[in-house]
Amino acid sequence: MARLELRNITRRFGDFVAVDDVSLTIESGEFFTLLGPSGCGKTTILRMIAGFEFPDAGQILLDGIDLVGTPAEKRPVHTVFQSYALFPHLTVGENISFPLRMARHAAADIRQRLKEALEQVRLGGKAGKYPHELSGGEQQRVALARALINRPRLLLLDESLAALDAKLREEMQVELINLQREVGITFVFVTHAQVEALALSHRIAVMNQGKVEQVDEPARLYGFPRNRFVADFIGQITMIPAQVEESAHGHRRLVVDGLGEIVTPLPQGVVIGDKGVFAIRPEQVRIGVQAELAELKNHFTGEVHSLLYQGDVSVYRVRLPNGTMIEALLPNSAPGRAELFKVGAEIKVGWRHDAGVFLHE
Amino acid sequence: MNDERKLSRSTRFPRWLVSGPPLLFLLLLVAIPGVIMVFASFRYPGEFGGLAPLAASDPQTLHGFTTETYRFFFSDFIYVEVFIKSFVMALATTLICLVMAYPLALLIARSPKRSRNLMMLLVILPFTSNFLIGIYAWMIILGPQAALNQLINILLGIFGAAPVQLLFSPFAVMITMVYVYLPFMVLPLYTNLEKHDPALLDAAQDLGANAWQRFWRVTFPLSQPGIFAGSALVFIPAIGMFAVPELLGGIGDIMIGNLIKDQFLGTRDWPFGSTLAILLTLAVLLVVWLVAKLSGRGGRYA
Ligand SMILES: Nc1ncnc2c1ncn2[C@@H]1O[C@H](COP(=O)(O)OP(=O)(O)OP(=O)(O)O)[C@@H](O)[C@H]1O
Ligand SMILES: [Mg+2]
């Protein structure tokens, strides 16, 4: 099968370093996602894997063989472009069978494989239609079928769902996961939508300014971001400046100015005297009256500063005694109720001893 | 109610204003002269040009309507032959222009945006001088005393062949026609090629198409509307051209345009000139219709 390895890949445009010494290993059959803000180099990496760009340094190995000398049309790698890039002068059937015709397959073989491919993406009756006669979701499926028909070893998807509306996008996400499981081909997916990345991927590489910040499974990435960039980029998070001090027993403890000690697991490398932030997700922060939160190791008094009703949940911003704002998320389980606590009310916030992470600078 | 009426009136007025002048233009300069020409082709020539009267007091003088001009055209094969020759000449001009313009248009369309406008300016630069001046320039370039002709004859002499004369030959007509019409082919081709989405070529390459396949499977079929537009812009005026064969062609190189011109300015046979012009128009329309029918697929996605 297909294991992709990027070794110290660098790509410069003039003085600008678009991809900066990136090393990644993508396992065979994996759904791997490159996630990062606009301009961080995701597309450039995909284009280097596909063969449209060439690294200034480093190697791209597919099953141990360097791809750099192989032209794009000879690589066993296909791409689903953001704009789909369907050929407007060819029918759906001609579009999907294009790779087979380029490789000069026999007509009977093409007919058979086309039939299977059309069924796989549920486009059975549309083979004779032209791309402009299809809906966005159907065009997307044509692009997928076309890229998969001659079984590439690697499929690259560049923001492939970005052009769809929210509802269709969710449907296509499910289809994409099923399709990947079915064909067992290694997928490298590019997006700047973190929710999509979390929902689809086996593993995610978070990128920033040409560098990889963290590679992890979705739940670990969300739960244990390695630095402030990753913590901030994925999901909502409150960051409170904090420092590591020595406790009465000589242990490490985390202290926030004007608030006191916070009980949280401190990572191995952190030593007394380190400064950084304590970061906690809104859904880990509980909000209520004194009695409800008594069993939690961390609890503080605060004042409801503002409240954002989002339908399923309400996000409360609470001002702590030292002036910092913390966000707490409360599910609206009672129908028709938007606010449990009024703005200006004095309440308690608290969280478990294992919630949150310390990110040192 | 009231608002609705006001709205529809205010939108109808500008539409009339916009389509009015072009319609008037076409009516005055195409439809009415066309009808006059059809009538003229069925009449007798006047004594000193113009047309013979419709009614005459003396029954001996020619008057009224006749199909004589059409009978005359088909009675002598020489006229049909000139038509066929002109057709071949125009077709050859179109094909040579296409073969020369396509790579040029492609090169310009794939150049960096900044240099494209400059290159297109160079393509249309010949338009800035009168085209007769261009034709005279070619007469000089191809002349028997000019370096080009001399050099060719020296080379021919080395191989023991007889010397040739470039000027007043089909070759001279052809080369000048291509010179005159080349920009008309480049412009629509460039306009078409420039619009192609480069992602399509990336996709084709990604899916296994080599450079040759990318051209024939993607670029070429997508450029069909440009090819047809350019071919029409070259073929239609080229088939009626008279100045180039007149000035650079030999005796045998005359085209329909020369025939028509001669009927009006030389022989003063207006009815026959009208007949030739009408038959030329019909022949061109037939060709355009055939090409449009054959290119049905090209228009489907455009
Ligand atoms: N051909 C090029 N010439 C110059 N700069 C380029 C070129 N291609 C990309 N860049 C630059 O490299 C950086 C990374 O581009 P890239 O397209 O990889 O970003 P991306 O992560 O895909 O962003 P987006 O989410 O907006 O698609 C950008 O700042 C871009 O301007
Ligand atoms: Mg991109």
Side-chain angles (χ1 to χ4, degrees), chain A residues 61-73:
Chain A
L61 305 170
L62 188 63
D63 290 327
I65 296 160
D66 198 335
L67 283 181
V68 169
T70 314
E73 64 262 35

Side-chain angles (χ1 to χ4, degrees), chain A residues 11-14 16-19 34-47 53 82 158-159 190-192 207 209-210:
Chain A
R11 176 73 172 110
R12 293 184 201 88
F13 295 109
F16 178 75
V17 187
V19 176
L34 294 172
L35 174 67
S38 189
C40 72
K42 308 178 295 285
T43 297
T44 307
I45 290 185
L46 276 203
R47 288 178 64 83
E53 294 276 358
Q82 175 171 351
D158 192 354
E159 311 256 5
V190 156
T191 182
H192 58 251
M207 292 189 57
Q209 296 182 350

Side-chain angles (χ1 to χ4, degrees), chain B residues 65-84:
Chain B
F65 290 105
T66 172
T67 54
E68 172 62 21
T69 53
Y70 291 90
R71 202 193 55 74
F72 183 64
F73 176 86
F74 289 106
S75 70
D76 194 343
F77 185 68
I78 188 147
Y79 295 113
V80 179
E81 196 184 320
V82 172
F83 259 70
I84 293 172

